[in-house]
Amino acid sequence: MIRKSDWDAVEEELMNEERRKLGDPSTAEEMLAYTRGELSPEQEERVREVLVCRPDLAEALTKPFPEDDAQPGDPGYLSEAELDKQWVRLQGKIGSNVVPIRTDYWRNASLALAAALVLALGGLLWLAQARRVDEPRVLSGGQLLMPEGRRGGSTPGPVLSFDGESQLVSVSVIGQQEFPAYRLDIVNSSDRRLWASGVVKPRTDETFGIMLPRKFLKPGEYRIVLYGVDGERSERLNAYGFVVPEQP
Amino acid sequence: MSEHYAGRDEYFESVYRRYYARVYRFYRSLGVSDDEAHDLAQDAFKRFYEQMHLFRGGPESEWAFLRKLARNVMLNWIRGRTALKRDVKLVELDDPDFLEDPPAPEKPDYAEKEQETLRRNRLAEALRGLPEGQRQCIRLWVQGHKYNEIAELLRISVDAVKSRLRDAKKYLRAQLGEEQ
């Protein structure tokens, strides 16, 4: 009975033999002409042989491009800061003085007019908000989240009762291993990180208060994961589950 | 360049912001290191910048144009790397293992080794006996490609791939004396 290792060994031998025979791999232009059917039958056959003995070229030719952008926490995710850094580098390469779009909007009169309207509306909204902030306001519905293991069973945690457009939740570090600082991540049910707090210290009552905007989280189960941070070291301490309900 | 955009540079930045991460991730998915993936993505966008006056059409064809350039960059990179490997002498004089004797191989099981050699010779001979088209199909299939990928690589139909694979497997079973 032929084994996989036999196939691999024979395949490797054939590949080496053919690579020696065929010489340099086809150029990108040749490969693309091949995919468009623009080569002679002899040239076409040579490219086929190259593709069979060069899995790296075959993969480069067939691998699909990612259609969606990665989200924070996904492999290969690039932050805005990284994109800005690469943009500056790219400008150096192309020898261009490309002005970033954000500072160049104002050349266009219609955009300026639209921006003026947005500013006026924004100002009105800000005034309305400022009046509300000036007055005392009771923050009702703040919810204390219990760490896993204290809730009993495997319940996903309390269902948040949103106070308007947001909900205040508290996470206590009492009873956790003490660290000079902490970090909090919000992860979804697939453990994908949606938000990270950066390095923070708890309030005097040894809790963290987190205001969760309703729009930030779709209905579903989530956890706030608490990490202890000591310099470069970071240790997962506990997780606090909660549920975002469907909007009424 | 698309006429929807007033300025060349603004347009280029908008393309960069929309697609750079995807192009970078494409290179990473091909096993390229982080630094090299950025270098390749930069090359792809540099080419786009140089050639964007040739481009006509909406966002769909713009992405198709950029994808083609990015793939081109990858194919040329592989070609360049192959040439480099061939030209450069790969002995590292500073390598601490360079002057040391290699570890002694494990004591071979000669009977098993002989069986293995026989099996491999029979397989190589059987593969060489296949018609070219069938051999190419079965080797790409063994390398892990799907039917549609084999069809794309060999520029034949998926039905032709299935038929060639069926014939190749039948021939190999007969030659190797296997039931399955």
Side-chain angles (χ1 to χ4, degrees):
Chain A
M1 177 73 85
I2 299 294
R3 298 171 187 171
K4 177 76 171 66
S5 58
D6 297 331
W7 269 103
D8 293 343
V10 170
E11 183 59 38
E12 198 184 330
E13 194 187 313
L14 286 175
M15 277 183 188
N16 290 334
E17 203 176 280
E18 286 164 4
R19 284 180 191 184
R20 274 196 301 273
K21 189 185 90 186
L22 292 166
D24 279 340
S26 315
T27 62
E29 289 70 27
E30 250 181 301
M31 301 279 268
L32 292 169
Y34 167 77
T35 59
R36 290 193 297 260
E38 292 169 0
L39 298 181
S40 68
E42 295 77 31
Q43 289 171 316
E44 215 171 65
E45 197 45 47
R46 184 183 179 276
V47 175
R48 278 198 189 100
E49 287 174 20
V50 168
L51 287 171
V52 173
C53 70
R54 296 296 309 244
D56 49 353
L57 283 178
E59 198 184 9
L61 205 63
T62 54
K63 187 97 179 176
F65 277 78
E67 284 302 322
D68 297 316
D69 286 331
Q71 300 301 314
D74 288 349
Y77 169 76
L78 293 180
S79 65
E80 281 298 318
E82 182 63 35
L83 279 176
D84 287 342
K85 186 178 135 197
Q86 295 299 332
W87 172 243
V88 171
R89 220 182 123 211
L90 180 59
Q91 281 178 293
K93 277 193 175 185
I94 60 178
S96 155
N97 292 315
V98 179
V99 182
I101 284 176
R102 287 182 292 273
T103 58
D104 208 25
Y105 275 153
W106 313 108
R107 283 199 319 205
N108 187 313
S110 59
L111 275 178
L113 182 62
L117 281 170
V118 168
L119 275 177
L121 281 171
L124 287 172
L125 279 171
W126 178 81
L127 273 175
Q129 187 66 30
R131 271 188 202 130
R132 279 175 55 192
V133 171
D134 284 348
E135 296 164 10
R137 183 167 156 239
V138 176
L139 275 178
S140 60
Q143 282 176 273
L144 180 67
L145 303 181
M146 299 302 286
E148 281 174 351
R150 284 215 212 152
R151 291 195 307 270
S154 56
T155 54
V159 178
L160 298 189
S161 50
F162 278 87
D163 173 26
E165 288 308 303
S166 55
Q167 170 68 33
L168 178 69
V169 294
S170 295
V171 166
S172 171
V173 293
I174 295 170
Q176 306 297 339
Q177 191 185 338
E178 265 189 49
F179 274 84
Y182 298 86
R183 195 185 88 223
L184 298 144
D185 288 356
I186 297 179
V187 299
N188 65 12
S189 53
S190 318
D191 268 340
R192 208 175 91 188
R193 191 168 69 173
L194 307 173
W195 175 83
S197 66
V199 177
V200 286
K201 294 196 173 185
R203 300 183 293 204
T204 49
D205 63 351
E206 298 293 289
T207 65
F208 290 102
I210 303 163
M211 189 65 93
L212 295 171
R214 186 182 251 289
K215 281 184 187 165
F216 184 73
L217 300 170
K218 291 178 191 161
E221 291 175 16
Y222 298 90
R223 283 179 306 146
I224 293 174
V225 184
L226 175 71
Y227 294 87
V229 179
D230 187 357
E232 293 292 302
R233 191 166 73 92
S234 169
E235 188 178 320
R236 186 186 187 282
L237 299 178
N238 221 324
Y240 304 74
F242 62 91
V243 178
V244 174
E246 295 281 347
Q247 268 189 317
Chain B
M1 187 171 84
S2 170
E3 290 169 7
H4 297 292
Y5 295 91
R8 173 185 159 93
D9 290 346
E10 290 87 341
Y11 171 66
F12 179 58
E13 191 185 355
S14 76
V15 171
Y16 169 84
R17 298 269 167 201
R18 267 179 288 151
Y19 300 122
Y20 183 88
R22 284 194 217 173
V23 172
Y24 160 81
R25 281 168 58 220
F26 168 69
Y27 294 131
R28 292 290 282 148
S29 73
L30 288 167
V32 177
S33 73
D34 182 62
D35 284 348
E36 281 174 324
H38 278 302
D39 287 347
L40 293 173
Q42 297 259 331
D43 278 357
F45 276 87
K46 184 171 178 270
R47 284 189 190 200
F48 185 91
Y49 184 75
E50 289 160 355
Q51 296 180 27
M52 64 185 182
H53 61 282
L54 302 172
F55 166 69
R56 299 273 183 283
E60 269 309 305
S61 41
E62 165 190 278
W63 175 221
F65 184 66
L66 182 58
R67 278 202 314 254
K68 194 182 86 180
L69 290 177
R71 219 181 269 284
N72 240 340
V73 166
M74 184 68 201
L75 293 169
N76 276 332
W77 182 74
I78 294 172
R79 190 181 148 87
R81 200 182 46 169
T82 308
L84 191 73
K85 270 186 193 164
R86 198 187 50 240
D87 295 343
V88 174
K89 201 165 183 177
L90 293 172
V91 174
E92 290 277 346
L93 290 176
D94 293 335
D95 184 348
D97 297 333
F98 182 61
L99 294 173
E100 285 179 16
D101 289 333
E106 284 177 26
K107 200 176 172 184
D109 178 339
Y110 290 109
E112 165 60 22
K113 195 79 193 155
E114 197 179 329
Q115 283 298 315
E116 187 185 87
T117 309
L118 275 174
R119 280 196 317 269
R120 291 179 182 181
N121 287 344
R122 272 170 60 210
L123 177 61
E125 201 175 322
L127 277 171
R128 287 196 177 98
L130 279 170
E132 188 69 47
Q134 288 181 27
R135 186 167 63 241
Q136 288 169 345
C137 277
I138 193 94
R139 287 180 60 196
L140 288 170
W141 182 72
V142 169
Q143 285 170 22
H145 289 285
K146 297 178 182 127
Y147 292 159
N148 62 325
E149 289 172 351
I150 299 172
E152 193 186 333
L153 286 170
L154 299 180
R155 298 199 64 251
I156 55 175
S157 69
V158 172
D159 283 343
V161 171
K162 287 179 184 171
S163 149
R164 287 182 191 184
L165 277 176
R166 192 177 52 237
D167 293 346
K169 286 177 189 172
K170 192 174 160 191
Y171 175 85
L172 290 175
R173 276 184 207 124
Q175 293 298 308
L176 302 169
E178 292 183 6
E179 304 260 319
Q180 279 293 325

